[in-house]
Amino acid sequence: MPDAITPQAGAHATTLGTGFTDNPYLPDVATVLETVQETPTIKTLRVRIDDPARMESFRFNPGQVGQLSLFGVGESTFVINSPPTRMDYLQFSIMRAGEVTAALHGLKPGDKVGVRAPLGNWFPFEDMRGKDIVFVGGGIGMAPLRTLLLYMLDNRADYGNITLLYGARTPSDMAFRDDVQEWLGRSDMQTTLTVDQAPEDWPHRAGLIPHVLLDLAPSNANSVAVLCGPPIMIKFTVEALKKLHFADEQIITTLERRMKCGIGICGRCNIGTKYVCMDGPVFTYAELRDLPNEL
Amino acid sequence: MSFARYIARGELARALDDMARGRVTYAPRREGDAVVFRPRAEGEEPLLARATVPPKGVIFPQSERLFAFIREKDPNDPGHTTVRLDSTVDIEPALIFGGRPCDARGFHIFDRVYLNGPHRDPYYAARREATVVVTLACNKAGSTCFCHWTGCGPADTTGSDILLTPVGEGADAGFVAVAVTERGGAVLEAANLPEADAARSDAAQAVHAATQAALDAQSPARDLSATPARLLERFSDSDFWRDMSDKCLSCGACTYLCPTCYCFNITDENDGGDGMRGRRLRSWDNCMSSLFTREASGHNPRMGKALRLRNRVGHKFSYYPQLHEGVVSCNGCGRCITGCPVSVDIREMVVRATEANEETPNA
Ligand SMILES: Cc1cc2nc3c(=O)[nH]c(=O)nc-3n(C[C@H](O)[C@H](O)[C@H](O)COP(=O)(O)OP(=O)(O)OC[C@H]3O[C@@H](n4cnc5c(N)ncnc54)[C@H](O)[C@@H]3O)c2cc1C
Ligand code: SF4
Ligand code: SF4
Ligand code: FES
């Protein structure tokens, strides 16, 4: 590979390599297959990388992210929220937050995007085998959990009890409706939904996630809790898990940082010596406790 | 492979022409109050003054194209467009003349991240490979120089291909040129220069020693090996960081003038409004800017300037050394001190963070 970027004697134009392994900044061009309006602010894109060989050989683990881009607008970080056990497409669910996300919301099937993936680390799904799993997702934080949950459901025998607590502000802010319906109907997992304010006809729970979690009181014995959501939800959910005697090592979460390169070079996403794009985004609470407090 | 040649002062322009054959030479030039690196014309007498801006932009341009995108209407389906990416870059063989050891060591700080990390940066790698670094050893210590604290020094060769040391006076003035790398050796050979005799080589050694002594007299060298841990102990001392950053304007000048600051942003740019053509760029960015870590939710882990300054000092003197075998990612060039509009002094922060803890080791 170095040959491709070594300038030839006398030649002043050097072509840098193409493809992710050669040039980590060069995205794969991908096509939007399908879009789903999940909530008023969250839209799901299902995409396939155009190069069939690339798509065929694409591998990732649950929790890994990608830089998704719209050429001419920019790049942003999203978790690949389809599971690696279903590789017909890569799914990203995007909450409208700013410039890139608003533009991504405007895409239709057939449109082109750029994908730099997979980036970052992943949930320790191997170490979680044989354990009971408690998922706690808030808002768009359900996206990374979806990947892991679907992976576990596709390998159901490997895991113990699976509990899901999914909260959103209002019923219409709940994403992944079809999945949620299916999860509610499954006998091999316990699904609880909650909203901050419940309308009359809401058949599920009302109240903030940490309160509902204390009520559900999942056992800490041989369990792992996996959380994802806004910083404030994480903070109080961790407190609730502590009350339920979960150890720091039994709590897993993902961190958000403003990322650009995604490969540990641009220097943007550090917390002390850790780079969220390389050492994360998945951390145990025990690891977070040892980081400088800059969350 | 290390060998020494002698360049008489009057021969310098000619020798440089020979060394730079087939390369663009970047040499210090005065522009207003600043001394900056600019392409040098053949035969041009180079300025030997210490540049106010380091030459990092030659290898890591302030803004560079990662690739161009070209959108074309899909002939089979005119409603849709296809996208082609073009990552061709023009990289010219180059030579940087007249940077100081602290400037050259800056490239070494980059190398550890851009070449030897888990992902090799192909743009940086190509420019680094195509660029010969000819460094001028210092024979005079500036009042803000503290390279001797940081593992660098007035004759350090780290990051250089050739080191030139000024020797002699008046009619006998010249330079001893030592090849540091094989690439430097090849370039130096091409200049067809006489060998530096023992007397001149000794004179070069004496210049190194004298400059080192002048630096030591100015401020005693410090052992910074405990500083990474000490800075971490200071992490939550908000009074300390507020005090240190009181004057700071968050202008970021310190980072742009720094030979070791390597952070960047990635943005897209369109040609015209139809979005059919454009490019993805990367540009220098800096952690002193309030938007650097602002997340889309509005949450900003480094909201105040005290927290941003803490990251800048922490990165150079604590996080980087912890990740890179104790190497400090500050070369003590002092440019951030001289360039700061309100004279924030990184030396003072490092000393105070370290010393305050020395007084109260258990704090
Ligand atoms: C590991 C990880 C996983 C993630 N997964 C998901 C996911 O699955 N789904 C999801 O929806 N989100 C996810 N996110 C969050 C997502 O990356 C952000 O919401 C997204 O980057 C916002 O991009 P944007 O361009 O739309 O917003 P921007 O337009 O970049 O920013 C939003 C706001 O900040 C301001 N701003 C920010 N930076 C600057 C700047 N440099 N200069 C000027 N103004 C600025 C803008 O003006 C704007 O108001 C994830 C983030 C991380 C780090
Ligand atoms: S140059 Fe000085 S004022 Fe500007 S950001 Fe740096 S420390 Fe602050
Ligand atoms: S931090 Fe300041 S003194 Fe250190 S290398 Fe950068 S500009 Fe020079
Ligand atoms: S996003 Fe660039 S270092 Fe992490």
Side-chain angles (χ1 to χ4, degrees), chain A residues 55-111:
Chain A
M55 188 66 207
E56 200 58 41
S57 62
F58 191 92
R59 295 285 177 277
F60 74 102
N61 287 319
Q64 288 195 284
V65 300
Q67 291 285 34
L68 189 63
S69 60
L70 200 49
F71 300 106
V73 182
E75 237 182 355
S76 278
T77 319
F78 305 96
V79 68
I80 308 170
N81 76 66
S82 47
T85 40
R86 305 177 194 182
M87 287 298 293
D88 306 334
Y89 51 74
L90 302 175
Q91 172 164 320
F92 300 92
S93 298
I94 296 140
M95 178 145 133
R96 193 193 305 222
E99 221 179 305
V100 176
T101 48
L104 289 170
H105 271 230
L107 293 179
K108 310 173 299 300
D111 287 342

Coordinates of all heavy atoms in Angstrom, one line a residue, chain A residues 55-111:
Chain A
M55 N -19.9 -4.6 0.1 CA -21.1 -4.9 0.9 C -21.0 -6.4 1.3 O -21.3 -6.7 2.5 CB -22.3 -4.6 0.1 CG -23.6 -4.7 0.8 SD -23.8 -3.4 2.1 CE -24.8 -4.2 3.3
E56 N -20.6 -7.2 0.4 CA -20.5 -8.7 0.7 C -19.5 -8.9 1.9 O -19.8 -9.7 2.8 CB -20.0 -9.4 -0.5 CG -20.3 -10.9 -0.6 CD -21.8 -11.2 -0.5 OE1 -22.6 -10.5 -1.1 OE2 -22.1 -12.1 0.2
S57 N -18.4 -8.2 1.9 CA -17.4 -8.5 2.9 C -17.5 -7.6 4.2 O -16.7 -7.7 5.1 CB -16.0 -8.3 2.3 OG -15.9 -6.9 1.9
F58 N -18.5 -6.7 4.2 CA -18.7 -5.8 5.3 C -19.0 -6.6 6.6 O -19.9 -7.4 6.6 CB -19.8 -4.8 5.0 CG -19.8 -3.7 6.0 CD1 -19.1 -2.5 5.7 CD2 -20.6 -3.8 7.2 CE1 -19.1 -1.4 6.6 CE2 -20.6 -2.7 8.1 CZ -19.9 -1.6 7.8
R59 N -18.2 -6.4 7.6 CA -18.5 -7.0 8.9 C -18.5 -5.9 10.0 O -17.7 -5.0 9.9 CB -17.4 -8.0 9.2 CG -17.3 -9.2 8.3 CD -18.4 -10.2 8.5 NE -18.3 -11.3 7.6 CZ -18.9 -11.2 6.3 NH1 -19.5 -10.1 5.9 NH2 -18.8 -12.2 5.5
F60 N -19.3 -6.1 11.0 CA -19.3 -5.2 12.1 C -19.8 -5.9 13.3 O -20.4 -7.0 13.2 CB -20.0 -3.9 11.8 CG -21.5 -4.0 11.8 CD1 -22.3 -3.6 12.9 CD2 -22.2 -4.6 10.8 CE1 -23.7 -3.7 12.9 CE2 -23.6 -4.7 10.8 CZ -24.3 -4.3 11.9
N61 N -19.7 -5.3 14.5 CA -20.2 -5.8 15.7 C -21.2 -4.9 16.3 O -21.1 -3.7 16.1 CB -19.1 -6.1 16.7 CG -18.3 -7.3 16.3 OD1 -18.8 -8.3 15.9 ND2 -17.0 -7.2 16.4
P62 N -22.2 -5.4 17.1 CA -23.3 -4.5 17.6 C -22.7 -3.4 18.5 O -21.9 -3.7 19.4 CB -24.1 -5.5 18.5 CG -23.7 -6.8 18.1 CD -22.4 -6.8 17.5
G63 N -23.0 -2.2 18.2 CA -22.5 -1.0 18.9 C -21.6 -0.2 18.1 O -21.4 1.0 18.5
Q64 N -21.1 -0.7 17.0 CA -20.2 0.1 16.2 C -20.9 1.1 15.4 O -22.1 1.0 15.2 CB -19.4 -0.8 15.3 CG -18.3 -1.7 16.0 CD -17.3 -2.3 15.0 OE1 -17.6 -3.2 14.4 NE2 -16.1 -1.7 15.0
V65 N -20.2 2.2 15.1 CA -20.9 3.3 14.5 C -20.3 3.5 13.1 O -19.4 2.8 12.7 CB -20.7 4.6 15.3 CG1 -21.3 4.5 16.7 CG2 -19.2 5.0 15.4
G66 N -20.9 4.5 12.4 CA -20.3 4.9 11.1 C -20.5 6.4 10.9 O -21.2 7.0 11.6
Q67 N -19.7 6.9 10.0 CA -19.8 8.3 9.6 C -20.7 8.2 8.3 O -20.3 7.6 7.3 CB -18.5 9.0 9.3 CG -17.6 9.2 10.5 CD -18.1 10.3 11.4 OE1 -19.3 10.6 11.5 NE2 -17.2 11.0 12.0
L68 N -21.9 8.8 8.4 CA -22.8 8.8 7.3 C -22.7 10.2 6.7 O -22.8 11.2 7.5 CB -24.2 8.5 7.8 CG -25.3 8.3 6.8 CD1 -25.0 7.0 6.0 CD2 -26.6 8.0 7.6
S69 N -22.6 10.3 5.4 CA -22.5 11.7 4.9 C -23.3 11.9 3.7 O -23.7 11.0 2.9 CB -21.0 12.1 4.6 OG -20.5 11.2 3.6
L70 N -23.7 13.2 3.5 CA -24.3 13.7 2.3 C -23.3 14.6 1.7 O -22.9 15.6 2.3 CB -25.6 14.4 2.8 CG -26.7 14.6 1.7 CD1 -27.0 13.3 1.1 CD2 -27.9 15.1 2.4
F71 N -22.9 14.2 0.5 CA -21.8 15.0 -0.2 C -22.3 16.4 -0.4 O -23.4 16.6 -1.0 CB -21.4 14.3 -1.5 CG -20.9 12.9 -1.2 CD1 -21.7 11.8 -1.6 CD2 -19.7 12.7 -0.6 CE1 -21.2 10.5 -1.3 CE2 -19.2 11.4 -0.3 CZ -20.0 10.3 -0.7
G72 N -21.5 17.3 0.0 CA -21.8 18.7 -0.1 C -22.5 19.3 1.1 O -22.6 20.5 1.3
V73 N -22.8 18.4 2.1 CA -23.4 18.9 3.3 C -22.5 18.6 4.5 O -22.1 19.5 5.3 CB -24.8 18.4 3.6 CG1 -25.4 18.9 4.9 CG2 -25.8 18.7 2.4
G74 N -22.1 17.3 4.6 CA -21.2 17.0 5.7 C -21.4 15.6 6.2 O -22.2 14.8 5.6
E75 N -20.7 15.3 7.3 CA -20.6 14.0 7.8 C -21.0 14.0 9.3 O -20.7 14.9 10.0 CB -19.2 13.5 7.8 CG -18.9 12.3 7.0 CD -17.4 11.9 7.1 OE1 -16.6 12.6 7.6 OE2 -17.1 10.8 6.6
S76 N -21.8 13.0 9.7 CA -22.1 12.9 11.1 C -22.1 11.4 11.6 O -22.1 10.5 10.8 CB -23.5 13.4 11.4 OG -23.4 14.8 11.6
T77 N -22.0 11.2 12.9 CA -21.8 9.9 13.5 C -23.1 9.3 13.8 O -23.9 9.9 14.5 CB -21.0 10.0 14.7 OG1 -19.9 10.9 14.5 CG2 -20.4 8.7 15.1
F78 N -23.4 8.0 13.4 CA -24.6 7.3 13.8 C -24.2 5.9 14.0 O -23.4 5.3 13.4 CB -25.7 7.4 12.7 CG -26.0 8.8 12.3 CD1 -25.3 9.4 11.2 CD2 -26.8 9.6 13.1 CE1 -25.6 10.7 10.9 CE2 -27.1 10.9 12.8 CZ -26.5 11.5 11.7
V79 N -25.0 5.3 15.0 CA -24.7 3.8 15.2 C -25.4 3.0 14.1 O -26.4 3.5 13.5 CB -25.3 3.5 16.6 CG1 -26.8 3.5 16.6 CG2 -24.8 2.1 17.0
I80 N -24.8 1.9 13.7 CA -25.4 1.0 12.8 C -26.4 0.2 13.6 O -26.0 -0.6 14.4 CB -24.3 0.1 12.1 CG1 -23.1 0.8 11.6 CG2 -25.0 -0.8 11.1 CD1 -22.0 -0.1 11.2
N81 N -27.7 0.5 13.4 CA -28.6 -0.1 14.3 C -29.3 -1.3 13.8 O -30.2 -1.9 14.4 CB -29.6 0.9 15.0 CG -30.7 1.4 14.0 OD1 -31.5 0.6 13.7 ND2 -30.6 2.7 13.7
S82 N -28.9 -1.8 12.6 CA -29.3 -3.1 12.2 C -28.3 -4.1 12.8 O -27.2 -3.7 13.1 CB -29.4 -3.3 10.7 OG -28.2 -2.7 10.1
P83 N -28.7 -5.3 13.1 CA -27.8 -6.3 13.7 C -26.9 -6.9 12.6 O -27.3 -7.1 11.4 CB -28.7 -7.3 14.3 CG -29.9 -7.3 13.5 CD -30.1 -5.9 12.9
P84 N -25.7 -7.4 13.0 CA -24.8 -8.0 12.0 C -25.3 -9.4 11.6 O -24.8 -9.9 10.6 CB -23.5 -8.2 12.8 CG -23.8 -7.9 14.2 CD -25.1 -7.2 14.3
T85 N -26.4 -9.8 12.2 CA -27.0 -11.1 11.8 C -28.0 -10.9 10.6 O -28.5 -11.8 10.1 CB -27.8 -11.7 12.9 OG1 -28.4 -10.7 13.7 CG2 -26.8 -12.5 13.9
R86 N -28.2 -9.6 10.2 CA -29.1 -9.3 9.1 C -28.4 -8.3 8.2 O -28.5 -7.1 8.4 CB -30.4 -8.7 9.6 CG -31.1 -9.6 10.7 CD -32.3 -9.0 11.2 NE -32.7 -9.8 12.4 CZ -33.8 -9.5 13.1 NH1 -34.6 -8.5 12.8 NH2 -34.1 -10.2 14.2
M87 N -27.7 -8.8 7.2 CA -26.8 -8.0 6.4 C -27.4 -7.6 5.0 O -26.6 -7.2 4.1 CB -25.5 -8.7 6.2 CG -24.6 -8.6 7.5 SD -24.2 -7.0 8.1 CE -23.2 -6.5 6.8
D88 N -28.7 -7.5 4.9 CA -29.3 -7.1 3.6 C -29.0 -5.6 3.4 O -28.9 -5.1 2.3 CB -30.8 -7.3 3.5 CG -31.1 -8.8 3.9 OD1 -30.3 -9.6 3.6 OD2 -32.2 -9.0 4.4
Y89 N -28.9 -4.9 4.5 CA -28.7 -3.5 4.4 C -28.1 -3.0 5.8 O -28.1 -3.8 6.7 CB -30.0 -2.7 4.2 CG -31.1 -3.1 5.1 CD1 -31.1 -2.6 6.4 CD2 -32.2 -3.9 4.7 CE1 -32.1 -3.0 7.3 CE2 -33.2 -4.3 5.6 CZ -33.2 -3.8 6.9 OH -34.2 -4.1 7.8
L90 N -27.6 -1.8 5.8 CA -27.1 -1.2 7.0 C -28.2 -0.1 7.4 O -28.6 0.7 6.6 CB -25.8 -0.5 6.8 CG -24.6 -1.4 6.4 CD1 -23.4 -0.6 6.1 CD2 -24.4 -2.5 7.4
Q91 N -28.6 -0.2 8.6 CA -29.7 0.8 9.0 C -29.1 1.8 10.0 O -28.4 1.5 10.9 CB -30.8 0.0 9.7 CG -31.8 0.9 10.3 CD -33.1 0.1 10.7 OE1 -33.6 -0.7 9.9 NE2 -33.7 0.4 11.8
F92 N -29.5 3.1 9.7 CA -29.1 4.2 10.6 C -30.4 4.9 10.9 O -31.2 5.2 10.0 CB -28.2 5.2 9.8 CG -26.9 4.6 9.4 CD1 -26.8 4.0 8.1 CD2 -25.8 4.6 10.2 CE1 -25.6 3.5 7.7 CE2 -24.6 4.0 9.8 CZ -24.5 3.5 8.6
S93 N -30.6 5.3 12.2 CA -31.8 6.1 12.5 C -31.3 7.4 13.0 O -30.4 7.5 13.9 CB -32.6 5.3 13.6 OG -33.0 4.1 13.1
I94 N -31.9 8.4 12.4 CA -31.3 9.8 12.6 C -32.3 10.7 13.2 O -33.4 11.0 12.7 CB -30.9 10.3 11.2 CG1 -29.8 9.3 10.6 CG2 -30.4 11.7 11.2 CD1 -29.9 9.0 9.2
M95 N -31.9 11.3 14.3 CA -32.7 12.3 15.0 C -32.3 13.7 14.4 O -31.1 14.0 14.4 CB -32.5 12.3 16.5 CG -33.3 13.3 17.1 SD -33.8 12.7 18.7 CE -33.4 14.1 19.7
R96 N -33.2 14.5 14.0 CA -32.9 15.8 13.4 C -32.4 16.7 14.5 O -33.0 16.9 15.6 CB -34.2 16.4 12.9 CG -33.9 17.6 12.0 CD -35.1 18.3 11.7 NE -36.1 17.4 11.1 CZ -36.8 17.8 10.0 NH1 -36.7 19.0 9.5 NH2 -37.8 17.0 9.6
A97 N -31.1 17.1 14.3 CA -30.5 17.9 15.4 C -29.8 19.2 14.8 O -29.6 20.1 15.5 CB -29.4 17.1 16.1
G98 N -29.5 19.1 13.5 CA -28.7 20.2 12.9 C -28.7 20.1 11.4 O -29.6 19.5 10.8
E99 N -27.6 20.6 10.9 CA -27.5 20.7 9.4 C -27.5 19.4 8.7 O -28.3 19.1 7.8 CB -26.2 21.5 9.1 CG -26.3 22.5 8.0 CD -25.0 23.2 7.8 OE1 -24.5 23.7 8.8 OE2 -24.5 23.1 6.7
V100 N -26.5 18.5 9.1 CA -26.4 17.2 8.4 C -27.6 16.4 8.6 O -28.2 15.8 7.6 CB -25.1 16.5 8.8 CG1 -25.0 15.1 8.2 CG2 -23.9 17.3 8.5
T101 N -28.1 16.3 9.8 CA -29.2 15.4 10.1 C -30.5 15.9 9.4 O -31.3 15.1 8.9 CB -29.5 15.4 11.6 OG1 -29.5 16.7 12.2 CG2 -28.4 14.5 12.3
A102 N -30.7 17.3 9.3 CA -31.8 17.8 8.6 C -31.8 17.4 7.1 O -32.7 17.0 6.5 CB -31.9 19.3 8.7
A103 N -30.6 17.5 6.5 CA -30.4 17.1 5.1 C -30.6 15.6 4.9 O -31.2 15.2 3.9 CB -29.0 17.5 4.6
L104 N -30.2 14.8 5.8 CA -30.4 13.3 5.7 C -31.8 13.0 5.8 O -32.3 12.1 5.1 CB -29.6 12.6 6.8 CG -28.1 12.6 6.7 CD1 -27.4 12.0 8.0 CD2 -27.6 11.7 5.5
H105 N -32.6 13.8 6.5 CA -34.0 13.6 6.6 C -34.7 13.8 5.2 O -35.8 13.3 5.0 CB -34.7 14.5 7.7 CG -34.7 13.9 9.0 ND1 -35.8 13.8 9.8 CD2 -33.7 13.3 9.7 CE1 -35.5 13.2 10.9 NE2 -34.3 12.8 10.9
G106 N -34.1 14.6 4.4 CA -34.7 14.9 3.1 C -34.4 13.8 2.0 O -34.9 13.9 0.9
L107 N -33.7 12.7 2.4 CA -33.3 11.7 1.3 C -34.5 10.8 1.0 O -35.3 10.5 1.8 CB -32.1 10.9 1.8 CG -30.8 11.6 2.0 CD1 -29.7 10.7 2.5 CD2 -30.4 12.2 0.6
K108 N -34.4 10.3 -0.3 CA -35.4 9.4 -0.8 C -34.7 8.1 -1.3 O -33.5 8.2 -1.5 CB -36.2 10.0 -2.0 CG -36.8 11.4 -1.8 CD -37.3 12.0 -3.1 CE -36.4 12.1 -4.2 NZ -35.2 13.0 -4.0
P109 N -35.5 7.0 -1.4 CA -34.8 5.8 -1.9 C -34.2 6.2 -3.3 O -34.7 6.9 -4.1 CB -36.0 4.9 -2.1 CG -37.0 5.3 -1.1 CD -36.9 6.8 -1.0
G110 N -33.0 5.6 -3.5 CA -32.2 5.9 -4.7 C -31.2 6.9 -4.6 O -30.2 7.0 -5.4
D111 N -31.3 7.8 -3.5 CA -30.3 8.8 -3.3 C -29.0 8.2 -2.8 O -29.0 7.1 -2.2 CB -30.8 9.9 -2.3 CG -31.9 10.7 -2.9 OD1 -32.0 10.8 -4.2 OD2 -32.7 11.4 -2.2

